[in-house]
Amino acid sequence: EVGYLINCFTHHIYSENVCPHSGSLWTNLKNKLRGQYGLFYQPQGSLPKLEFRYLNCTCCWRSRIPVAGFETLNDTLSSSTTPCDDNKSLDAYYTSEQRGVILQLLNNAAESELAAVKLLRGRKSVNIVEYRTRNGPFKNLESVTNVPLLKHKSAVIVFNSILNPPEKKEKRKVKIQLAKFIRPEVERTWLEEANSIVSIVCGVNKIAWAHMDRGMNVLEWKHEDCHNFLKGTYMASAYLDDISSVVSHLPTADFFVVEKTSISLQNTALYPVMAHMRTVEAMLFALLEPRYTQPDNTAPPKVLNMMRTAVGRHFGLMVGDSRTSGAQAMQQMMTESVTQKIPRVTFPHNLLVKYRNSFQMGGRSRGEELCDAMLQAVAFYELLSESS
């Protein structure tokens, strides 16, 4: 009952004498609306007499619908979109300069440019291009409403968006930042001032390291067997003996970069390997950090983690979430060290001779940990240079 009568109300029927269906129903509705909690409730002597105001129809922006004259509605009306008059076309609400700007864009912009305008993304921009192709350029703003899906309401929003485009935010070029794969975080200045690093990679039965300076010169490159790894129940004392032996042979450097593996927890078959890697990693941190930590609290940590996947992405070794062997990249860098005047990495002659057959393709390479340690050192400096 109430819904029907409100519908009559929005079509300018506000009298029980002109309601074509039921004057008594309308009388009842007016009484309800004028009740204590109704829309037209007016305490005695507190508010001026209510007046009718008009809102533009949101479908065509031409028809007018009466509403009660509350201050909130007045405020809404004063800030509403350009009003519509039955006797005026859309062109009448814009200056000649504004019409020129709007028509210039609508008649000349490509589909991708039109899609950047508010409400024109998708089918509307396609419809504009098709309309121009069939009928020629738009001669006035009113003709834009002939485009499918662009009626008066949408057209006004489009015109205003063209005249007042939103501010474009500058898109920053996304580069891989060192902080994404180095933990704990270290100020860039400390990393850039480092004279050398030792890159450390742990395998299932050995630990390899590569000592490299920031000039991309290999200073030392070794691996050491650890016979107690993955034996029995991970005896801490046995692990400590092997890892302490390795640490005692490591050269002095500004930073020690330990590989951080990314073994999925969903693969339960790899739990023993994951526990092994975490044990070795924790012992390396414990043994290396106190040895080189300075008493100054502002000094950065000396032992860092580097994500294995970040190194894989840098050298293009990732296939999905898995990393393939870097033996081919390692062979290429060793060859370039001999054949090119300015190689990517400079290897001492004795190391080239020593490891020239350690990275043969086919089968599991004997030097996989050596390869990974060197690739990690190279990626560290190159990613640091790229992100600066």
Side-chain angles (χ1 to χ4, degrees), residues 56-308:
N56 292 325
C57 174
T58 57
C59 296
C60 66
W61 288 90
R62 293 179 181 276
S63 302
R64 298 191 300 170
I65 300 173
V67 295
F70 291 111
E71 290 300 321
T72 53
L73 295 179
N74 286 335
D75 293 340
T76 303
L77 284 169
S78 64
S79 61
S80 61
T81 313
T82 305
C84 178
D85 193 304
D86 291 340
N87 299 323
K88 292 184 179 181
S89 68
L90 288 174
D91 296 78
Y93 295 102
Y94 299 92
T95 65
S96 59
E97 292 81 4
Q98 290 174 329
R99 293 196 298 271
V101 171
I102 296 170
L103 292 174
Q104 173 71 17
L105 187 140
L106 294 178
N107 286 328
N108 298 285
E111 183 182 327
S112 59
E113 295 174 302
L114 291 170
V117 179
K118 187 175 182 179
L119 286 190
L120 291 188
R121 181 179 300 175
R123 187 62 199 173
K124 291 188 179 71
S125 59
V126 176
N127 290 345
I128 290 176
V129 174
E130 292 178 350
Y131 183 91
R132 288 186 331 211
T133 303
R134 292 194 305 266
N135 304 287
F138 298 104
K139 296 180 175 57
N140 51 54
L141 301 185
E142 192 70 24
S143 63
V144 176
T145 60
N146 296 325
V147 176
L149 303 180
L150 268 179
K151 300 308 176 186
H152 286 79
K153 176 183 177 181
S154 300
V156 169
I157 296 175
V158 169
F159 298 159
N160 292 340
S161 179
I162 294 173
L163 295 174
N164 302 288
E167 295 182 1
K168 294 183 178 180
K169 297 181 179 180
E170 295 183 1
K171 293 184 178 180
R172 297 180 180 178
K173 187 176 180 181
V174 178
K175 290 184 177 180
I176 186 168
Q177 296 295 321
L178 200 62
K180 296 293 183 182
F181 52 87
I182 286 293
R183 291 293 183 274
E185 295 183 0
V186 177
E187 290 185 15
R188 181 177 301 279
T189 54
W190 288 104
L191 300 177
E192 292 173 344
E193 294 172 358
N195 292 317
S196 68
I197 65 166
V198 172
S199 170
I200 306 172
V201 170
C202 168
V204 294
N205 59 2
K206 64 182 65 176
I207 295 177
W209 68 90
H211 187 200
M212 179 181 289
D213 64 18
R214 58 182 174 183
M216 306 300 282
N217 300 302
V218 179
L219 306 178
E220 192 174 355
W221 192 18
K222 295 181 64 176
H223 65 122
E224 188 170 325
D225 292 328
C226 300
H227 303 288
N228 293 311
F229 281 3
L230 289 174
K231 299 288 185 180
T233 57
Y234 302 96
M235 291 295 294
S237 58
Y239 266 69
L240 184 60
D241 289 341
D242 282 346
I243 298 173
S244 297
S245 175
V246 172
V247 169
S248 66
H249 297 149
L250 293 179
T252 303
D254 294 293
F255 291 103
F256 295 89
V257 183
V258 181
E259 181 186 64
K260 184 75 170 180
T261 56
S262 54
I263 299 175
S264 174
L265 294 176
Q266 297 178 351
N267 191 343
T268 56
L270 294 179
Y271 277 178
V273 177
M274 183 178 64
H276 159 71
M277 294 295 187
R278 296 295 179 264
T279 301
V280 176
E281 178 186 329
M283 288 190 175
L284 285 172
F285 268 77
L287 293 173
L288 288 171
E289 192 67 47
R291 181 181 171 192
Y292 297 104
T293 299
Q294 300 177 10
D296 185 2
N297 292 330
T298 61
K302 294 297 182 181
V303 187
L304 308 173
N305 267 140
M306 188 166 182
M307 300 304 298
R308 178 177 172 83

